[in-house]
Amino acid sequence: MSDIQHAIEEMFSERSAACPCCGATLSPEMLRDLLRQAEHLQGEHQAFRRLTPGAGGMLIDPHAHMIARTTDDYEAMAASGVVAVIEPAFWLGQARTNVGSFVDYFSTITGFERFRAAQFGIRHYCAIGLNPKEANNRELADAVLDVLPRYLGKEGVVALGEIGYDEQTELEDRAFRAQIELAKEFDLPIMIHTPHRDKKRGTRRTMDTLEACGFDPARCVIDHNNEETVEEVLDRGYWCAFTIYPSTKMGNDRLAAIVERYGPERIIVDSACDWGVSDPLAVSKSARIMAQHGLDEATIRQVVYHNALKVYGLNGEMRETDWLDPAPVDQRTLYGGNSVLRGQAPRVEQDNPDRIV
C-alpha cells in the first residue's frame, strides 16, 4: 500500500467526504476507487514520458497537411513531442484550374512552410506529386507532370506523393505510372493514397501496379489502411500507414489492436490533419492509447517514430540530427520580409556552441 493510500485509509476509513464538484457524499470505497484511477493514469503518463527524453517523447507525424493548419497547431504539436512532420502534396478542397496554382503550392510547401514550422521548433519535410483526385484532367495533369522534376530534387523533399488511385480511372492509372517512373529516376520513396471507396480492391490494384512497374515495396508507404488491407500490405512487403480519422479511416484503439496483432514492423501512424475536421495531435494520442493497451515502449517508439524515420530517411534529406542538434529558434527571422508573429515577443534560443553545422 502506498503512502497516499495509507493516508486515505487513516483519514477516511470511518467517514465519508463531500465531493468538491457537486457536494455529493463520497464514501471511503469511492475515495479508494478514485485513488486507484489516479495512480493508474499517473503510471500511464510516466510510461509515455519514458518513450524518449523530453516531455511526451519524440514523435514524427509523417502525413500532415500543415499549410492548412494554424501556428497554434504547431505549438501544440511541439508540446506533445512532435519533432518532425512530412507534408505530402494534395488537393485544396476544390480542383485547381491551371498549372500555376500547382507551382505556387509546391513552392510554398518546399519554402515558406519549412520556415514556419522551424519557427516553432518542428522540422518540416514534404512529398511532391500529383494527387489522384486531380489526375482526371488530362491536360492539366500533363502540365503538372512536366513541372514535377523541378521540385523533386529540392531540399527537404523526402518522397514522391501522395499518389495512387481515387476513383480508379484510367487517367489516374496513367498519372500514377508516370510518377512511379519519376520516383525511380529521382531515387525517392513513394507515399501512396489509397481510395476512400472500394479500398480493398483499390489497395490491391495499387500494389499490383507498383510491382508491374518494378518498384521496390521496401521504398513505398501505403497509407490510409484499415483492418481489410493491413495483412496483404504487410505480406507483400510494403510499409503500412494508418491515418487516425476515427469516423472514416482508423481510430486510436483500433490501431492499438492492430499493433497488438501484427507487431510494430513496418507499421506507421499519422494524423493527415488538413483543412477539414482532423486532429494534429493524433500521433501523440495514439502513443498514449497504445501504452494503455499495455504495448511496451520499444513497440510504441517504432510505430510513432523509428519506422517513419527509416523509410522517409532513405534519400538522406531527413536525418535525426536535424532535431537532435537543431539550429536555434529565432522568431526575429523573416522569410521574404514576413514574420510569423503579430506583435508578440519573439522566441529567441541560444545557439549550442558544440552544434555541428
Side-chain angles (χ1 to χ4, degrees):
M1 185 179 292
S2 70
D3 292 341
I4 298 176
Q5 286 174 317
H6 275 299
I8 289 288
E9 289 295 330
E10 290 176 7
M11 292 174 65
F12 301 113
S13 59
E14 301 296 332
R15 53 184 172 173
S16 58
C19 174
C21 300
C22 64
T25 300
L26 298 176
S27 68
E29 184 54 40
M30 293 169 71
L31 290 168
R32 282 191 287 270
D33 186 56
L34 286 171
L35 175 64
R36 283 191 292 269
Q37 293 181 45
E39 289 190 327
H40 179 68
L41 290 172
Q42 183 182 41
E44 287 177 356
H45 179 66
Q46 289 173 343
F48 180 61
R49 286 179 66 88
R50 287 197 304 270
L51 287 174
T52 54
M58 289 192 300
L59 311 167
I60 295 172
D61 190 340
H63 188 141
H65 301 287
M66 297 308 298
I67 192 172
R69 308 305 301 195
T70 67
T71 55
D72 286 348
D73 292 326
Y74 271 127
E75 290 178 327
M77 292 170 81
S80 77
V82 173
V83 293
V85 297
I86 298 171
E87 176 149 5
F90 196 49
W91 75 311
L92 301 179
Q94 64 181 36
R96 298 172 179 90
T97 58
N98 65 78
V99 70
S101 59
F102 280 92
V103 168
D104 290 341
Y105 173 65
F106 295 153
S107 297
T108 299
I109 65 174
T110 57
F112 176 71
E113 201 57 36
R114 279 173 63 79
F115 164 79
R116 191 168 77 108
Q119 293 288 280
F120 299 94
I122 291 179
R123 306 279 78 77
H124 179 284
Y125 309 89
C126 69
I128 296 291
L130 171 64
N131 73 82
K133 291 182 75 70
E134 293 179 296
N136 290 297
N137 179 334
R138 180 166 182 165
E139 182 179 357
L140 181 57
D142 285 346
V144 175
L145 292 172
D146 285 343
V147 302
L148 284 182
R150 189 189 312 175
Y151 294 93
L152 294 177
K154 281 188 174 290
E155 182 180 4
V157 176
V158 298
L160 199 153
E162 57 187 294
I163 63 174
Y165 295 113
D166 186 53
E167 298 294 339
Q168 303 186 53
T169 68
E170 289 310 305
L171 285 176
E172 290 172 13
D173 184 71
R174 178 176 176 272
F176 183 28
R177 291 172 183 269
Q179 290 180 97
I180 294 171
E181 295 307 313
L182 282 174
K184 289 157 64 176
E185 178 184 343
F186 283 84
D187 197 27
L188 286 169
I190 285 177
M191 181 192 294
I192 291 293
H193 168 90
T194 50
H196 300 291
R197 292 167 292 280
D198 201 3
K199 183 175 288 289
K200 187 173 183 178
R201 183 177 72 87
T203 301
R204 180 173 293 154
R205 181 182 179 185
T206 297
M207 293 185 286
D208 289 344
T209 301
L210 286 159
E211 289 159 25
C213 293
F215 199 81
D216 182 0
R219 298 179 61 82
C220 183
V221 179
I222 308 286
D223 207 349
H224 310 323
N225 283 284
N226 60 22
E227 291 87 348
E228 276 193 323
T229 61
V230 54
E231 189 165 349
E232 184 173 358
V233 169
L234 290 173
D235 285 348
R236 293 174 72 163
Y238 292 89
W239 295 86
C240 187
F242 294 89
T243 293
I244 303 300
Y245 279 11
S247 298
T248 57
K249 290 185 172 73
M250 177 58 54
N252 301 110
D253 285 297
R254 289 164 58 200
L255 172 70
I258 284 170
V259 177
E260 286 179 302
R261 177 176 178 183
Y262 294 98
E265 280 297 316
R266 288 182 283 114
I267 287 182
I268 295 170
V269 60
D270 60 64
S271 73
C273 59
D274 59 9
W275 32 259
V277 178
S278 47
D279 186 0
L281 303 182
V283 177
S284 63
K285 290 177 182 177
S286 296
R288 288 197 293 274
I289 296 295
M290 284 189 281
Q292 290 173 12
H293 277 245
L295 292 165
D296 62 72
E297 294 171 23
T299 293
I300 299 172
R301 284 177 193 250
Q302 198 167 340
V303 173
V304 301
Y305 181 80
H306 289 297
N307 286 345
L309 177 59
K310 186 172 183 179
V311 64
Y312 289 118
L314 285 172
N315 76 330
E317 281 295 318
M318 184 179 185
R319 300 172 298 274
E320 197 171 32
T321 52
D322 294 348
W323 52 86
L324 293 182
D325 190 24
V329 172
D330 185 349
Q331 292 182 336
R332 298 170 302 185
T333 308
L334 304 180
Y335 186 94
N338 298 310
S339 169
V340 298
L341 301 179
R342 297 296 182 267
Q344 298 87 355
R347 171 182 166 189
V348 181
E349 296 177 349
Q350 296 301 310
D351 198 358
N352 175 9
D354 297 322
R355 185 169 66 87
I356 300 171
V357 179

